[in-house]
């Protein structure tokens, strides 16, 4: 059977997706200055519609983070037919999505704003970003890693530890350098090297956790 997780953030209607994209654009342009009025104006919809869909500004921020995180797609694998090739392809796809999303301008802006809020002891945005961004993304890959272990293609005791290692191999110091505005690293550089970085990270992950069945 296929390994699936129901993620409500991926069930937004096309019109809601357009609104959330407008909200993301405004966050990039204005940082913390996101308002329901500004989003309604940019998305050409009424504030009443926004309140109906999202409840309030925190609800809109939560949906916006969920929509951004949903770009890291949940791999779909069939436990009954899982083999080394399909497992590797699924993990590589996840790594590619993860690196593309978290090093993009939108995610960098969201994280910078959340960090600023935390420093000011306004932790609501930080909690929204943490729960609906990194933690939600983590929940998508761990069942795939566990399926690989069940198929004796991966070997580990804790899927949490395995995920943390995977994340470190994929992201390395790239995200923090972008967050801190390292002039020696641009998003264009990151994008140009994504395929090589994804392959390298996946190779290293399977060296650490792959079984003989996978490496045969």
């Amino acid at each position: 059977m296929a390994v699936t997780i129901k993620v409500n953030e991926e069930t937004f209607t096309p019109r809601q997706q357009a609104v959330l994209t407008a909200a993301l654009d405004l966050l990039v342009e204005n940082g913390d200055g996101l308002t329901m009025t500004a989003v309604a104006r940019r998305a050409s919809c009424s504030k009443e519609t926004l309140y109906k869909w999202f409840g309030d500004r925190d609800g809109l921020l939560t949906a916006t983070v969920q929509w951004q995180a949903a770009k890291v797609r949940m791999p779909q694998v069939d436990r009954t037919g899982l083999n080394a090739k399909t497992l590797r392809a699924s993990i590589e796809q996840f790594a590619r999505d993860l690196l593309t999303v978290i090093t993009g301008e939108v995610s960098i802006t969201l994280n910078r704003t959340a960090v600023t809020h935390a420093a000011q002891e306004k932790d609501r945005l930080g909690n929204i970003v943490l729960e609906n961004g990194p933690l939600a993304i983590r929940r998508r890959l761990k069942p795939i890693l566990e399926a690989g272990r069940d198929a004796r293609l991966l070997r580990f005791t804790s899927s949490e530890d395995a995920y943390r290692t995977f994340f470190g191999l994929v992201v390395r110091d790239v995200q923090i350098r972008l967050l801190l505005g390292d002039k020696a690293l641009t998003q264009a550089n990151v994008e140009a090297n994504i395929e090589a970085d994804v392959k390298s990270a996946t190779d290293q992950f399977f060296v650490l956790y792959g079984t003989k069945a996978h490496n045969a």
Side-chain angles (χ1 to χ4, degrees):
M1 61 182 287
V3 177
T4 59
I5 296 179
K6 181 172 179 58
V7 281
N8 292 331
E9 61 265 34
E10 296 186 17
T11 63
F12 296 117
T13 67
R15 184 65 182 116
Q16 288 171 333
Q17 291 173 19
V19 169
L20 295 174
T21 298
L24 288 171
D25 290 343
L26 286 169
L27 277 169
V28 170
E29 294 170 16
N30 304 319
D32 198 23
L34 185 71
T35 66
M36 300 293 266
T37 299
V39 173
R41 184 180 302 116
R42 176 66 65 91
S44 299
C45 69
S46 68
K47 286 198 295 183
E48 289 75 13
T49 297
L50 294 183
Y51 285 112
K52 177 181 177 181
W53 284 344
F54 306 113
D56 56 15
R57 183 176 181 272
D58 278 356
L60 175 62
L61 282 170
T62 298
T64 300
V65 175
Q66 289 175 337
W67 173 233
Q68 176 69 2
K71 296 172 186 175
V72 183
R73 295 165 291 173
M74 170 69 184
Q76 300 294 314
V77 299
D78 187 344
R79 283 183 181 271
T80 61
L82 186 61
N83 56 43
K85 182 178 180 180
T86 57
L87 178 64
R88 183 184 179 91
S90 294
I91 290 177
E92 278 193 357
Q93 171 230 299
F94 193 92
R96 186 178 299 108
D97 286 354
L98 175 64
L99 193 56
T100 300
V101 169
I102 70 170
T103 61
E105 189 175 12
V106 170
S107 289
I108 295 300
T109 299
L110 278 170
N111 280 282
R112 281 178 178 160
T113 305
V115 169
T116 300
H117 275 219
Q120 298 170 350
E121 298 185 353
K122 298 188 296 182
D123 60 359
R124 179 61 182 156
L125 179 60
N127 290 337
I128 289 172
V129 170
L130 180 62
E131 179 60 34
N132 297 283
L135 295 183
I137 289 171
R138 179 182 305 178
R139 289 191 291 268
R140 288 181 197 152
L141 184 63
K142 285 172 68 174
I144 308 306
L145 300 180
E146 290 163 1
R149 180 181 59 188
D150 293 345
R152 299 185 178 180
L153 299 170
L154 295 174
R155 180 180 60 252
F156 53 80
T157 302
S158 166
S159 59
E160 175 67 18
D161 289 345
Y163 177 82
R164 288 176 181 271
T165 301
F166 170 82
F167 185 90
L169 291 170
V170 174
V171 179
R172 297 163 291 131
D173 65 347
V174 173
Q175 186 184 36
I176 189 63
R177 289 173 64 191
L178 289 172
L179 282 169
L180 294 175
D182 185 350
K183 301 299 183 184
L185 181 68
T186 66
Q187 287 175 333
N189 296 145
V190 174
E191 291 169 4
N193 292 302
I194 278 181
E195 290 304 320
D197 290 342
V198 164
K199 184 179 185 305
S200 176
T202 305
D203 286 344
Q204 293 173 53
F205 181 79
F206 278 108
V207 166
L208 292 171
Y209 292 105
T211 64
K212 291 181 179 180
H214 174 271
N215 295 318

